Amino acid sequence: MSLFELLIIAVGLSMDAFAVAICKGLSMGKISIKKAGIVGLYFGTFQGGMPLIGYFLGVRFHDKITSMDHWIAFILLAFIGLNMIRESRNCECENEDDSIHNKSMNDSLSFKNMSVLAIATSIDALAIGVTFAFLKVNITPAVSFIGIVTFILSMIGVKIGNAFGNKCKSKAELIGGLILIFMGFKILLSHIGIINF
């Protein structure tokens, strides 16, 4: 997997965290680099850690399912992508009612609050780690890259949310979903020989 492909997947994966970071920024009265950094650190750490767990699970079972690994990678990426697109449509409905948003998000940066959000936004990355095992990706730079990209985008998300509100959240999840579906198709078509890039 090329660095560019990894960047595309990292951006796609980080869109969930980016969307929640926007909401976090929206809920904060006044933000600072420290607060944005804390949000980014939680999301980046979990987003980088989950693929590592998935990778070791995938390596364990890789030999048993090598003949269909590209189909599994495609199905996982497509499923995650479609789920993100569905969530983006739900966000559009929720954005019409600010009371829903206010109940679901607060400005707390406590370990409990941020850990729950970070786990919720990084579950998809667990499946990506399984996919990385099937594709024999060099996992250490891959998870580091995903963590760093998520860290940066989450910090930006906090700032955007604080400045502009909730309008960007659904668009971020929609774009992330489309990116992951595209990468799933690319992996599948490459393995069955239809494309060669």
Side-chain angles (χ1 to χ4, degrees):
M1 181 173 287
S2 71
L3 185 62
F4 179 70
E5 289 173 320
L6 187 57
L7 174 62
I8 291 173
I9 287 179
V11 170
L13 271 182
S14 67
M15 286 299 105
D16 263 352
F18 178 70
V20 175
I22 289 172
C23 291
K24 205 69 182 166
L26 180 64
S27 69
M28 293 178 182
K30 185 179 179 182
I31 63 165
S32 63
I33 291 178
K34 181 180 177 183
K35 286 183 177 179
I38 289 170
V39 173
L41 192 60
Y42 271 101
F43 289 150
T45 301
F46 278 83
Q47 202 75 254
M50 286 292 191
L52 191 60
I53 296 169
Y55 177 83
F56 287 118
L57 290 173
V59 165
R60 185 170 182 180
F61 300 108
H62 181 262
D63 293 339
K64 297 172 184 172
I65 49 179
T66 301
S67 63
M68 54 182 189
D69 57 2
H70 52 284
W71 282 102
I72 293 171
F74 166 70
I75 290 167
L76 287 173
L77 287 167
F79 176 77
I80 295 166
L82 289 170
N83 193 49
M84 287 178 72
I85 291 170
R86 182 183 57 79
E87 287 175 5
S88 77
R89 296 189 60 79
N90 290 342
C91 285
E92 288 173 3
C93 297
E94 289 179 5
N95 289 344
E96 294 170 5
D97 184 357
D98 288 339
S99 64
I100 295 174
H101 167 76
N102 291 335
K103 289 175 185 175
S104 63
M105 188 68 61
N106 59 56
D107 63 354
S108 172
L109 295 177
S110 69
F111 177 78
K112 180 181 178 183
N113 182 270
M114 290 306 302
S115 295
V116 169
L117 290 175
I119 291 169
T121 57
S122 63
I123 291 296
D124 294 347
L126 187 70
I128 296 295
V130 175
T131 302
F132 283 169
F134 296 152
L135 299 176
K136 297 182 179 175
V137 172
N138 189 343
I139 194 63
T140 303
V143 297
S144 301
F145 196 60
I146 289 170
I148 291 167
V149 168
T150 304
F151 172 77
I152 293 168
L153 289 178
S154 296
M155 286 187 69
I156 293 169
V158 171
K159 179 65 177 171
I160 289 172
N162 195 254
F164 302 111
N166 210 25
K167 295 177 182 177
C168 301
K169 181 184 174 189
S170 61
K171 290 183 178 65
E173 290 190 330
L174 175 62
I175 291 168
L178 291 172
I179 287 171
L180 293 180
I181 291 171
F182 170 78
M183 288 304 298
F185 272 110
K186 194 262 179 194
I187 289 167
L188 178 63
L189 295 176
S190 294
H191 275 267
I192 59 180
I194 292 178
I195 59 174
N196 190 25
F197 63 88

